[in-house]
Amino acid sequence: MKSFLNGNIALCKGAITAGLKSYFGYPITPQNEIPSYLSRKMIEIGRVFVQAESEIAAINMTLGAAVTGARAMTSSSSPGISLKQETISYMAGMQVPALIVNIQRGGPGLGNISGAQSDYFQAVKGGGHGDYRIIVIAPNSVQEMYETAYDAFDLAEKYRTPVMILSDGVIGQMMEPVEFNKLEKKESELSKKDWILNGCKNRKPRSVKSLFMKEGILEENNIKLQKKYKLISENEIKYELYMAEDAEVIITAYGISSRISKSAVKLARKNGIKAGLFRPRVLWPFPSKIINSLAKSNVKFLSVELTCGGQMIEDVKLALNGKSSVEFLGKTDGKLITEEEILNKLKIL
Amino acid sequence: MKATIRVNSERCKGCGLCIEFCPRQCIFFSKQFNKSGYHWAVLEKENDCTGCGLCFMMCPDICIETYKNKGIR
Amino acid sequence: MGKMLSRPKSLKNVALSYCPGCGHGIVHRIIAECIDELSIREKTIAVAPVGCAVFAYDYFNFDVTEAPHGRPPAVATGIKRTNPDKFVFTYQGDGDIAAIGMAETMHAANRGENISIIFVNNANYGMTGGQMAPTTLIGQVTDTTPFGRNSKKEGYPIKLCELLSVLEGSIYLERVSIHNPKNIINTRKAIKKAFQCQIDGKGFSMIEVISNCPVGWSMSPLESIKWVKEVFIKSFPLGVVCDKR
């Protein structure tokens, strides 16, 4: 069965199908469809919805629900995600799984309310204080908003880590047909967790914390986290390659930019340019090895992003490690890059 | 002896609140130091203790227990 | 001889890290006794603060989570809304609850969250070395008010019970003290009432415990107890501030 939905609602449906028990939100454009939809739906199905007093309170409520083992989620857009960073750092240190959704808008500061991709650094490099990473997923269609929201909870629980869906105002608000191809998760199907706080009946009391004061134990915990991040880096790389085998120029792009870039590749091929696309579906862990394997002296790269200065391009450069050159095409101010603009850039590379 | 108290001498930090609030003034500081360097609380006038529990109540380190001789009313 | 008074079951048999004479230990003991008496230890999920009581999870013998500075009421909201059958309380200091976390405190009360808050007011930031707190008294010398708190520059001590009492969501608010056995008994009664308020599903309660901080105040334990009695509670009058149970 297919429905015609916008990305934000599709995301809600995916999360609910995965067993979302508690949602905590705060209004900010362009993610308002999420709290609006869930304020009705969650109550109708007997689950928890709270409109918090701030983005800070919303993520801390999410933390509270998640330490009890419930599938919990909060959503916001760029300035609100900045406010949530402190608690995301706590969640990483406390190893609390939860889903955080960023429907990006333009920045810095209040910026504007149109789609943007300028929170890449914040999302993939840690964002808050301390030595940590979170899994960052980048859907590029309304269908993928549904599917990634569904899968995010399993991923979060598997590694006891916060997971972020890094989308943007365009995908959040555009409408496309969605196939509801996931099965409803029952509470009994969810994995049993041996660390959650649910009252100490028939067991020793537990605590969930990120404070490690005694000599050596902070390092011990950080080494444990780094081992986990290494494991995630080995197992959770996801990407899409399009016409890259014989490509002389490979566009790297994620989210909405990758959609436009795919059309640009088709257009370029018609114009006799051997273009291809590399699209990370997961931004952290970043598919550096794959990009490196595509690098050759006669292959050029072009990073297409909705940023002004370029952000993901830095990770592409690191991955290429000098084996290929990489150029940048970006736009901000809420305007989308067009296929023609990409084609023109490809022509002069 | 109607009642007595038992002080965990290593946990006691010598704050003196039990001594201050003992209505019969039967608790004093030890002459020696414990491992943490504090003079701990000692029930010296053993026969004066009624087991009223005020020392237990005032102790911030929960290192006092009270005992009563159940035969005596 | 039979044992009469001893450590409650809800408190682990470990040494506390608080300074000599600090009131936190007494408040911990009272909370643990109330939880034992109400037989709710096995369904309790507590929220520890950032501040001197940050190690509360090492002392309480039930489930405890950490929370970022000021956010325990939001964390407790998430726990309780998701698990209405659990018993949820936060343990917070003055800086945590009335400075950085004022928004979370006010809104948890205003929503009438069915949680209990134990607020330990000792008029300074103890953990960080005795800086001015929102509850520091006028004229009180602290690490960051070396000339005494000046209302023209630093404002006035915040009376949180009174502030929350105007919110319709607040059900039970009381200010108590632990400077002598009589007041400790009152504190115990108040905390038990607050916990019962949650068990009965009546909604938001907060007990503000006026406590001493000998090291933060540069006093001996006995001087600090005397200061609570003669100065502190003159500015923060004890008693029930709101009771809609």
Side-chain angles (χ1 to χ4, degrees), chain A residues 137-168:
Chain A
I137 312 172
N140 81 346
S141 66
V142 176
Q143 180 69 36
E144 280 194 9
M145 289 288 266
Y146 170 78
E147 289 172 9
T148 55
Y150 181 89
D151 294 335
F153 291 101
D154 282 344
L155 209 49
E157 287 172 7
K158 183 177 173 189
Y159 297 104
R160 273 189 70 180
T161 177
V163 170
M164 178 177 283
I165 290 185
L166 187 69
S167 186
D168 62 76

Side-chain angles (χ1 to χ4, degrees), chain C residues 16-138:
Chain C
L16 304 179
S17 59
Y18 301 113
C19 307
C22 165
H24 273 300
I26 296 176
V27 184
H28 281 20
R29 197 202 80 232
I30 295 171
I31 290 170
E33 284 174 352
C34 292
I35 288 192
D36 283 357
E37 275 176 38
L38 294 164
S39 305
I40 50 176
R41 191 182 75 90
E42 292 181 340
K43 61 172 202 168
T44 295
I45 304 171
V47 185
V50 170
C52 288
V54 71
F55 298 113
Y57 38 67
D58 289 338
Y59 309 139
F60 285 126
N61 192 23
F62 40 73
D63 284 3
V64 185
T65 183
E66 180 181 272
H69 196 28
R71 319 300 172 210
V75 173
T77 298
I79 297 172
K80 186 72 180 183
R81 292 286 188 114
T82 307
N83 306 270
D85 57 322
K86 300 294 181 223
F87 177 79
V88 183
F89 80 91
T90 73
Y91 187 103
Q92 301 179 256
D94 35 45
D96 191 79
I97 200 168
I100 190 166
M102 185 60 111
E104 283 75 10
T105 309
M106 298 292 279
H107 286 275
N110 194 48
R111 286 190 304 267
E113 293 297 338
N114 192 26
I115 58 169
S116 319
I117 292 183
I118 307 303
F119 159 32
V120 176
N121 177 358
N122 61 13
N124 79 139
Y125 285 75
M127 187 61 137
T128 44
Q131 294 84 355
M132 180 187 70
T135 52
T136 291
L137 304 193
I138 296 297

